Amino acid sequence: MTSEVVAAAQKIPGRKSEVTIRPELQPSRIGEGGRSVVDNIYVSLSDASQTSGFADALEKIARRHKISLVETTSPGVVRFDYAFDGVRTHAIHVVTPLTARARTRVKQGHENARLAIIIDDLGYDRAAADALLSLGFPITVSVLPHLPLSAEVAEEAYRRGDEVMLHLPMQSESETAKTEEVELRVGMNAQQVDSALEGMLETVPHAVGVNNHQGSRATADPKLMSELMPDLRRRGLFFVDSRTLASTVAYDTAERLGVRAASRKVFLDDSSSPEVILKQLELAARDAERDGSAIAIGHPRPDTIAALAQGLPRLESRGIRLVFVSELVQ
């Protein structure tokens, strides 16, 4: 069936579609134990109008094999799930790049100011990811590893034209902070750091860089940061210091060891108040106007996404250029 789906995708008229297959283990039905494999098939189309013909082909495959087919739609993605006897066998993600909305830029002397916005903590919530990716602005998406939606969100963000980063879990200074299943901790040796990083990257495809998730203790530890940076350099990844602690040495270590790097200037949503988030966005914009560029970090919360939808067109209208964070690392 996987071969039939791929063949149907490759017959779509126009530019040849891009197809990727990522198998995923899922628990079997209650009482049966064990796990079954679901084939996640990602199909990139140049035009949303091509989806209809592909959907017809998928329906014919379903009838031929006597399995059920369920269609769900979110901005930029149509998903088709195949299931046999109530067990999902395939998830087919049909992705079309979101068309950038038409915007009028009113230049007022700051057209060279560049602002990059990173939204991290992705990988938990499907609806939050859909809302974020539907904004239609250049957003750098930072995805936590080893979560049920990590690979799916990263793959779809990449195919919709956004930039993907690994939101790298690191040890916090707080003993009460939530820890991730795998994270970089003080005392790890070079082999342990490399192995942990490799496993994380396998679950976040298309990552071009990393920023730290928590990590107030880890980023202040020179030895641990000196173990991490060569691994990033060897893989061609950049590092963005989220600056969860003023005493961080992460950025300086990256710079010393030849890793392209940058630091966060503004946190957008320490408060959930939309008014405060808009004020923080304005603060980031002023930093960009003053210094030429700035990086702001936020989270995929409804109030944050609503504030971005309201505030970003205003920033562009006064000549601030929204860019992916890879344009600002050096």
Side-chain angles (χ1 to χ4, degrees), residues 227-288:
E227 301 288 11
L228 170 64
M229 297 307 166
D231 292 334
L232 299 182
R233 187 183 64 237
R234 187 171 65 254
R235 292 175 171 87
L237 301 174
F238 60 78
F239 180 82
V240 175
D241 192 344
S242 301
R243 295 193 63 82
T244 55
L245 190 72
S247 58
T248 175
V249 299
Y251 175 81
D252 291 339
T253 306
E255 189 176 49
R256 177 171 57 83
L257 295 178
V259 176
R260 293 182 300 141
S263 289
R264 180 269 313 168
K265 284 284 186 70
V266 174
F267 273 127
L268 294 175
D269 50 9
D270 282 340
S271 166
S272 60
S273 163
E275 293 78 13
V276 174
I277 296 170
L278 284 170
K279 287 180 180 178
Q280 290 298 101
L281 184 61
E282 174 61 24
L283 178 61
R286 291 178 183 176
D287 284 342

Side-chain angles (χ1 to χ4, degrees), residues 2 18 50 68 96 123 144 146 185 188 197 211 215 238 243 252 259 309:
T2 299
E18 180 184 348
Q50 298 170 320
S68 64
T96 53
L144 283 164
H146 300 301
R185 301 185 64 83
M188 293 176 73
L197 179 63
N211 73 313
F238 60 78
R243 295 193 63 82
D252 291 339
V259 176

Side-chain angles (χ1 to χ4, degrees), residues 184 188-201 227-228 230-232 234-235:
L184 299 190
M188 293 176 73
N189 60 35
Q191 183 178 356
Q192 290 171 321
V193 170
D194 184 68
S195 177
L197 179 63
E198 182 66 24
M200 294 177 192
L201 289 169
E227 301 288 11
L228 170 64
D231 292 334
L232 299 182
R234 187 171 65 254
R235 292 175 171 87

Side-chain angles (χ1 to χ4, degrees), residues 24-93:
E24 172 194 355
L25 284 175
Q26 69 173 358
S28 295
R29 290 180 299 187
I30 296 175
E32 293 185 357
R35 293 189 171 189
S36 59
V37 176
V38 177
D39 274 353
N40 280 281
I41 304 174
Y42 296 88
V43 180
S44 294
L45 302 180
S46 57
D47 188 337
S49 65
Q50 298 170 320
T51 305
S52 177
F54 184 47
D56 291 341
L58 294 179
E59 189 173 346
K60 290 178 182 177
I61 293 172
R63 287 200 302 267
R64 185 160 56 248
H65 291 277
K66 298 180 180 179
I67 59 175
S68 64
L69 174 63
V70 176
E71 176 181 341
T72 55
T73 302
S74 58
V77 178
V78 181
R79 174 169 157 168
F80 301 90
D81 284 336
Y82 281 154
F84 177 75
D85 194 22
V87 177
R88 188 163 59 105
T89 61
H90 296 76
I92 302 142
H93 310 251

